[in-house]
Amino acid sequence: MKKMSRNVLLQMEEEDDDDDGDIVLENLGQTIIPDLGSLESQNDFRTPEFEEFNGKSDSLFFNDGQRRIDFVLVYEDESRKETSKKGTNEKQRRKRQAYESNLICHGLQLEATRSVLDDKLVFVKVHAPWEVLCTYAEIMHIKLPLKPNDLKNRSSAFGTLNWFTKVLSVDESIIKPEQEFFTAPFEKNRMNDFYIVDRDAFFNPATRSRIVYFILSRVKYQLINNVSKFGINRLVNSGIYKAAFPLHDCKFRRQSEDPSCPNERYLLYREWAHPRSIYKKQPLDLIRKYYGEKIGIYFAWLGYYTQMLLLAAVVGVACFLYGYLNQDNCTWSKEVCHPDIGGKIIMCPQCDRLCPFWKLNITCESSKKLCIFDSFGTLVFAVFMGVWVTLFLEFWKRRQAELEYEWDTVELQQEEQARPEYEARCTHVVINEITQEEERIPFTAWGKCIRITLCASAVFFWILLIIASVIGIIVYRLSVFIVFSAKLPKNINGTDPIQKYLTPQTATSITASIISFIIIMILNTIYEKVAIMITNFELPRTQTDYENSLTMKMFLFQFVNYYSSCFYIAFFKGKFVGYPGDPVYWLGKYRNEECDPGGCLLELTTQLTIIMGGKAIWNNIQEVLLPWIMNLIGRFHRVSRSEKITPRWEQDYHLQPMGKLGLFYEYLEMIIQFGFVTLFVASFPLAPLLALVNNILEIRVDAWKLTTQFRRLVPEKAQDIGAWQPIMQGIAILAVVTNAMIIAFTSDMIPRLVYYWSFSVPPYGDHTSYTMEGYINNTLSIFKVADFKNKSKGNPYSELGNHTTCRYRDFRYPPGHPQEYKHNIYYWHVIAAKLAFIIVMEHIIYSVKFFISYAIPDVSKRTKSKIQREKYLTQKLLHENHLKDMTKNMGVIAERMIEAVDNNLRPKLE
């Protein structure tokens, strides 16, 4: 191929205005290498440079066996398609040809080969030579080894714990610890300062792939209206290439036949993804080395979160067992179940006309279950979780700082480039206020305001849609409760086996929770696509800005979507119902639903269990089962067509792509779970246990998925978990309020305490000592049946005999009192106690949280010392080497000057 001038343009004749433009071919002067020519013009890929596949299925090199494959591009040869449009194919071919030519101009070496199974597919293998790697390592500020480091000695277990730690740790004889180095950003003019023992091993495969992807993402291929189109992502999205990915180093089930292959994929599968390793710690250093820091930091965070959940799960189970073992001592539950107390209390209908009067003892079983969750242990556990979440976040910051030091991301200097989608829209020319030079932007300030307004409106609309769905669920609950109330209670004494466990309230709660979960998942699936469309329209400049913007939109939506039904049950249901003679109606038609006599806590527990369990099952089906089925079908078709040996690049091509957003959905899934574990944990102390079990499986399932079902991801640098950290901090602050309000307003703990200390003894009570006896009778107000309005009168009630009053859950004066049906003194005592409890609990927990945050620094003193020590030694090393070079150069210069002076003076002296 001839050397081309920098801006040689090949005019395209295209009908599509959007594609009209010039093909850009570049010449970077010094970086150009011996030319391979246009791949599509080299005798149908038959040249000495790229011959037919050599039959080695595990080969990671070009056919010469010397140049390593750093990336693979895949496209479909248009000339061999059975049905194709010539015009469109020619445009795609010329764009691809220009792109590949420009890759060569940037110093990359390419080799192409056809698919073994499908001759229409062409695999373009990409190799970055030493000079290119060095050039871009300096541009990207990649830190590379200077000399071995003896400071990063790993702390090992000692004493009696040594054997236990050894069992849980990764076997170092299988996965050997990485050698530690002092590192510094690479500079070509200081190449001699770096620890280069072997050029082939100096840049590991992950770093090589990252450098090549950096080039692939920025090479141009077309110019339209002075705006360049560039990047492999755009070419893949437009179908010019079918895929672009780095290679796995071997098969996951067995080691490579190549003795020089490190077999890291095999080791990760064996020691990380295999079920037999479920109890072991994760090999984080190998994960980081193979997949990059961004993947590594995710699994480090997930593993640390899971470890911290162990403590929360133990305390939660202890509180659950406390409630379970003490349920027989629950006085108010005994009164509900007692035939002479609960069996004789006639309750008012909970809906209009169709709902019957009912006896309190039909809620006997639910009251027993409620005793398990609504106990003193609930309060203890809520306070504990308020402290636990702070400890988790603070200790994670310290762990994250340690990983930043160990993985050399303390001073991450990589300047993030603008996204290709952003650059492609840069058509407006403005003057930069700082440089006073012209620059292009995608839209004016007014246009940006319009876009932000439209995006915010779209998000607000979808949030309103979720709220509308919640209202729909409420209407369903109100309507179906009437049906269940009319149909289920056949035996009024509560002895029917079905009625004993399936009360109208329970049946309504379970069916509504299932329908709510289904609606949540449907809206979630739709909104994921909508959120991406909104964020694309918003057009953030960098990938970090894009991910942060999408993160906030998705989390805001998911927060309302997943938690709205829980907030309704916890804080709204049964709170604004009026009383039987004057009930409150939704939309003027539906009577507001009431809680059980024991409150809505058990219903909230049911809702959380169904959503958490259903979400875990659904996610595993989506993340594991579907990719496995797709790969299984693909393997079946390939085996049925051919029994030839397939090369490594073709095996990887037939794996599933990870997706554009990578770990975004994994983080989102865990953060939503984190919200369930913290926001509503007072109602369900077993939530941490469920999360712990799920996360233990999640780690291994994600590991199995990455190592066996998906193509290798492009390694990326990351310092931390990004926008998810402040989101977790926000959830932790909100969790204190929600748990305090659940205990105060959803559970019956405060009314019971008020009764025990104030209303069980004189002057309000009749007992001589503090007791819970009489609590049920005291908390159920009396209503006169004759005061029913025609609209709200229950039917039938003749089965209960001739009676004139019924009871309902509230604190109101009885009929005949001067203030009949008004709130009594007990009500105001309870309200005051609830508000006081919320204020006291919040202030105590927030004070403890503040103290913990202040007492635990984000970076440990030991890590700070290591960072400062390494920085000092690195600077000293570079400075000493620089002084040695200067001294050596000055010595040479001095010798030459002396020699020159000597040569000049000698003739004169003679």
Side-chain angles (χ1 to χ4, degrees):
M1 181 176 130
K2 298 179 181 179
K3 290 188 176 182
M4 296 162 287
S5 62
R6 183 169 180 79
N7 290 314
V8 175
L9 303 178
L10 299 180
Q11 184 66 37
M12 293 183 64
E13 297 178 0
E14 301 182 357
E15 297 177 0
D16 189 353
D17 292 338
D18 185 54
D19 279 337
D20 275 347
D22 297 323
I23 294 298
V24 179
L25 298 178
E26 299 176 311
N27 183 351
L28 300 185
Q30 299 298 324
T31 61
I32 196 166
I33 63 169
D35 215 337
L36 302 181
S38 169
L39 289 177
E40 297 188 357
S41 63
Q42 295 186 20
N43 193 22
D44 199 21
F45 306 98
R46 308 291 185 189
T47 68
E49 187 62 27
F50 40 92
E51 299 175 354
E52 292 290 345
F53 169 54
N54 56 21
K56 297 179 180 179
S57 63
D58 289 334
S59 176
L60 300 175
F61 296 88
F62 280 17
N63 277 1
D64 58 13
Q66 301 296 320
R67 291 173 293 174
R68 183 182 183 88
I69 301 172
D70 299 316
F71 226 87
V72 175
L73 311 178
V74 187
Y75 69 89
E76 198 169 18
D77 187 357
E78 295 85 357
S79 64
R80 302 201 178 190
K81 290 183 180 179
E82 296 179 0
T83 58
S84 59
K85 297 180 180 179
K86 290 185 178 180
T88 302
N89 293 337
E90 180 62 19
K91 295 173 189 176
Q92 292 186 345
R93 189 191 66 81
R94 297 188 68 189
K95 288 179 184 179
R96 185 168 58 247
Q97 182 177 357
Y99 181 73
E100 291 169 353
S101 299
N102 290 336
L103 289 179
I104 294 172
C105 291
H106 278 74
L108 298 179
Q109 298 177 3
L110 310 180
E111 180 182 272
T113 185
R114 292 197 178 276
S115 168
V116 174
L117 303 177
D118 184 357
D119 63 356
K120 293 192 294 294
L121 286 179
V122 178
F123 294 88
V124 181
K125 293 163 282 185
V126 183
H127 169 76
W130 171 258
E131 277 296 321
V132 174
L133 294 173
C134 292
T135 299
Y136 281 93
E138 183 171 2
I139 293 172
M140 298 169 66
H141 305 287
I142 295 177
K143 287 186 174 183
L144 292 168
L146 287 171
K147 61 174 291 187
N149 180 3
D150 56 355
L151 293 180
K152 297 183 180 179
N153 294 327
R154 301 177 184 276
S155 58
S156 58
F158 56 88
T160 57
L161 294 178
N162 188 42
W163 66 271
F164 182 70
T165 306
K166 189 174 182 180
V167 170
L168 297 180
S169 300
V170 177
D171 190 348
E172 293 188 356
S173 64
I174 298 175
I175 299 180
K176 297 180 181 179
E178 292 292 317
Q179 184 178 5
E180 302 290 350
F181 292 91
F182 291 115
T183 61
F186 185 77
E187 297 179 32
K188 288 179 70 175
N189 59 358
R190 289 189 172 185
M191 191 177 297
N192 293 332
D193 295 339
F194 288 87
Y195 190 76
I196 306 176
V197 177
D198 181 5
R199 282 191 171 190
D200 293 334
F202 185 62
F203 294 98
N204 63 37
T207 303
R208 296 177 67 98
S209 297
R210 188 156 68 93
I211 292 173
V212 172
Y213 182 73
F214 183 88
I215 301 172
L216 294 175
S217 299
R218 285 156 179 81
V219 169
K220 303 173 183 177
Y221 63 88
Q222 191 177 16
L223 186 68
I224 299 178
N225 297 326
N226 293 324
V227 176
S228 298
K229 287 188 175 183
F230 52 85
I232 188 61
N233 291 333
R234 192 180 187 92
L235 290 168
V236 171
N237 292 338
S238 61
I240 295 174
Y241 286 100
K242 296 182 72 66
F245 52 89
L247 291 179
H248 284 295
D249 62 354
C250 65
K251 294 181 178 179
F252 67 88
R253 292 189 184 276
R254 61 179 178 82
Q255 300 188 44
S256 172
E257 298 174 357
D258 185 353
S260 63
C261 178
N263 296 298
E264 291 173 349
R265 185 190 187 192
Y266 167 77
L267 293 176
L268 284 172
Y269 175 74
R270 176 179 171 180
E271 297 296 321
W272 180 43
H274 199 279
R276 69 185 175 195
S277 302
I278 195 169
Y279 63 91
K280 289 187 177 181
K281 294 181 180 179
Q282 301 181 83
L284 292 176
D285 288 335
L286 185 59
I287 297 170
R288 170 247 182 172
K289 180 183 177 184
Y290 192 73
Y291 288 110
E293 286 77 6
K294 194 170 186 177
I295 300 286
I297 200 74
Y298 164 74
F299 281 103
W301 171 79
L302 182 55
Y304 196 82
Y305 171 45
T306 304
Q307 290 177 16
M308 291 294 291
L309 277 175
L310 180 61
L311 176 62
V314 170
V315 177
V317 170
C319 292
F320 174 81
L321 291 176
Y322 171 83
Y324 181 80
L325 295 175
N326 285 276
Q327 63 178 328
D328 293 335
N329 300 323
C330 188
T331 305
W332 60 271
S333 177
K334 290 180 179 179
E335 291 184 349
V336 171
C337 298
H338 199 286
D340 294 330
I341 302 176
K344 292 184 178 180
I345 294 178
I346 306 300
M347 300 296 295
C348 298
Q350 292 186 314
C351 65
D352 296 338
R353 293 185 181 143
L354 295 178
C355 291
F357 292 83
W358 51 286
K359 288 188 177 182
L360 181 61
N361 65 342
I362 70 170
T363 62
C364 176
E365 291 301 322
S366 62
S367 68
K368 289 180 180 178
K369 295 173 186 174
L370 188 60
C371 287
I372 299 174
F373 299 102
D374 194 359
S375 65
F376 179 73
T378 301
L379 174 60
V380 173
F381 190 56
V383 174
F384 167 80
M385 288 301 293
V387 177
W388 172 88
V389 70
T390 305
L391 290 173
F392 163 61
L393 293 176
E394 293 303 318
F395 281 121
W396 163 246
K397 290 178 185 177
R398 291 167 67 90
R399 175 58 178 152
Q400 188 170 257
E402 292 175 3
L403 291 174
E404 287 178 15
Y405 167 72
E406 293 174 4
W407 293 353
D408 283 326
T409 59
V410 175
E411 297 176 353
L412 194 59
Q413 298 179 3
Q414 182 177 359
E415 296 181 5
E416 192 167 12
Q417 302 291 326
R419 297 166 58 241
E421 294 84 355
Y422 179 90
E423 293 286 356
R425 297 291 186 88
C426 291
T427 56
H428 297 275
V429 179
V430 296
I431 302 298
N432 190 301
E433 295 180 357
I434 299 174
T435 62
Q436 293 298 311
E437 296 179 355
E438 288 187 354
E439 66 177 10
R440 291 182 177 273
I441 59 174
F443 33 72
T444 61
W446 178 246
K448 185 175 182 180
C449 290
I450 293 175
R451 284 175 178 264
I452 292 175
T453 303
L454 292 175
C455 292
S457 301
V459 173
F460 183 67
F461 167 78
W462 276 89
I463 290 176
L464 290 179
L465 187 62
I466 300 171
I467 296 174
S469 71
V470 173
I471 294 174
I473 293 294
I474 295 172
V475 171
Y476 165 83
R477 299 169 73 103
L478 298 175
S479 304
V480 172
F481 179 76
I482 298 174
V483 177
F484 285 139
S485 297
K487 300 294 184 182
L488 286 180
K490 300 300 181 183
N491 191 324
I492 212 65
N493 294 320
T495 58
D496 184 86
I498 296 179
Q499 181 197 353
K500 187 176 180 180
Y501 295 98
L502 191 63
T503 64
Q505 293 90 344
T506 305
T508 302
S509 176
I510 293 175
T511 56
S513 297
I514 293 173
I515 294 174
S516 177
F517 170 73
I518 293 172
I519 292 176
I520 283 172
M521 300 313 299
I522 292 173
L523 289 177
N524 182 39
T525 303
I526 298 173
Y527 183 75
E528 284 180 4
K529 297 178 175 59
V530 174
I532 293 173
M533 291 173 60
I534 295 172
T535 309
N536 289 340
F537 177 76
E538 186 181 336
L539 203 64
R541 182 177 179 275
T542 65
Q543 185 63 25
T544 298
D545 294 339
Y546 182 89
E547 290 182 1
N548 289 341
S549 177
L550 183 61
T551 296
M552 295 309 298
K553 290 182 181 66
M554 284 295 296
F555 178 75
L556 184 62
F557 175 86
Q558 298 276 19
F559 185 90
V560 179
N561 194 21
Y562 279 105
Y563 303 142
S564 55
S565 59
C566 295
F567 272 99
Y568 165 73
I569 295 172
F571 306 124
F572 294 99
K573 183 183 177 183
K575 304 300 185 294
F576 312 99
V577 296
Y579 63 95
D582 187 21
V584 176
Y585 290 89
W586 271 78
L587 307 175
K589 181 180 180 181
Y590 298 100
R591 180 171 166 177
N592 207 347
E593 59 180 336
E594 302 177 27
C595 296
D596 279 341
C600 288
L601 192 68
L602 188 61
E603 187 173 347
L604 179 58
T605 303
T606 303
Q607 180 82 358
L608 285 171
T609 305
I610 290 176
I611 292 180
M612 284 190 69
K615 184 174 178 293
I617 295 171
W618 175 260
N619 286 334
N620 285 327
I621 291 174
Q622 254 188 332
E623 296 177 7
V624 180
L625 192 60
L626 291 182
W628 179 76
I629 291 175
M630 295 293 291
N631 286 333
L632 191 65
I633 294 172
R635 282 197 297 269
F636 174 77
H637 284 301
R638 292 195 298 275
V639 170
S640 63
R641 285 186 296 174
S642 174
E643 295 183 357
K644 297 179 181 178
I645 297 176
T646 54
R648 170 84 272 133
W649 50 86
E650 191 157 357
Q651 295 175 37
D652 286 6
Y653 170 70
H654 290 293
L655 295 175
Q656 297 299 306
M658 184 64 177
K660 296 179 181 179
L661 297 177
L663 293 174
F664 175 81
Y665 295 112
E666 304 295 338
Y667 273 116
L668 183 62
E669 176 188 349
M670 289 296 104
I671 295 299
I672 294 297
Q673 182 205 86
F674 179 77
F676 280 121
V677 168
T678 54
L679 291 174
F680 306 101
V681 74
S683 67
F684 189 35
L686 293 181
L689 178 63
L690 293 182
L692 174 66
V693 174
N694 177 77
N695 288 6
I696 291 174
L697 297 176
E698 180 77 18
I699 290 173
R700 305 303 164 176
V701 164
D702 285 347
W704 175 82
K705 181 175 63 178
L706 282 178
T707 54
T708 66
Q709 303 300 308
F710 285 88
R711 298 171 190 159
R712 187 174 182 178
L713 296 173
V714 178
E716 295 181 62
K717 282 279 186 181
Q719 241 179 336
D720 48 41
I721 61 174
W724 301 109
Q725 182 79 23
I727 287 175
M728 285 195 297
Q729 291 172 341
I731 291 175
I733 294 172
L734 181 61
V736 177
V737 180
T738 56
N739 284 299
M741 292 183 68
I742 286 173
I743 293 174
F745 292 106
T746 309
S747 78
D748 244 16
M749 182 176 295
I750 302 301
R752 289 200 301 270
L753 291 175
V754 171
Y755 176 82
Y756 182 84
W757 293 107
S758 298
F759 285 81
S760 64
V761 294
Y764 301 108
D766 300 328
H767 301 281
T768 57
S769 61
Y770 298 111
T771 179
M772 284 300 297
E773 292 180 5
Y775 171 74
I776 289 297
N777 185 63
N778 191 268
T779 55
L780 295 177
S781 299
I782 301 173
F783 183 76
K784 190 176 181 181
V785 174
D787 292 338
F788 268 120
K789 297 178 182 179
N790 290 332
K791 182 179 179 180
S792 58
K793 182 178 293 187
N795 179 50
Y797 55 88
S798 57
E799 297 179 14
L800 299 177
N802 189 14
H803 61 276
T804 58
T805 61
C806 63
R807 309 295 290 271
Y808 61 99
R809 175 184 165 83
D810 208 343
F811 307 108
R812 295 178 183 269
Y813 289 112
H817 191 277
Q819 300 183 48
E820 67 174 1
Y821 303 136
K822 301 292 184 182
H823 288 117
N824 58 24
I825 189 66
Y826 190 6
Y827 171 82
W828 298 111
H829 275 73
V830 169
I831 289 295
K834 287 181 176 181
L835 296 177
F837 171 80
I838 292 174
I839 293 172
V840 171
M841 181 177 173
E842 286 182 359
H843 279 69
I844 291 175
I845 296 180
Y846 281 139
S847 299
V848 173
K849 286 168 69 71
F850 175 79
F851 174 77
I852 292 173
S853 300
Y854 177 79
I856 302 176
D858 293 348
V859 183
S860 66
K861 185 177 180 181
R862 184 165 175 262
T863 303
K864 280 184 180 178
S865 299
K866 284 184 176 182
I867 294 172
Q868 293 171 357
R869 175 68 175 165
E870 181 175 348
K871 188 174 182 180
Y872 166 75
L873 292 177
T874 301
Q875 291 177 345
K876 182 180 178 182
L877 178 64
L878 290 173
H879 182 65
E880 288 178 351
N881 290 339
H882 184 59
L883 285 178
K884 287 179 182 178
D885 293 341
M886 288 182 62
T887 304
K888 183 178 179 180
N889 293 335
M890 290 179 67
V892 173
I893 293 172
E895 289 179 0
R896 291 179 179 176
M897 290 179 65
I898 293 171
E899 183 179 353
V901 171
D902 184 54
N903 292 335
N904 290 332
L905 291 178
R906 186 175 298 171
K908 295 181 180 180
L909 293 175
E910 291 177 353

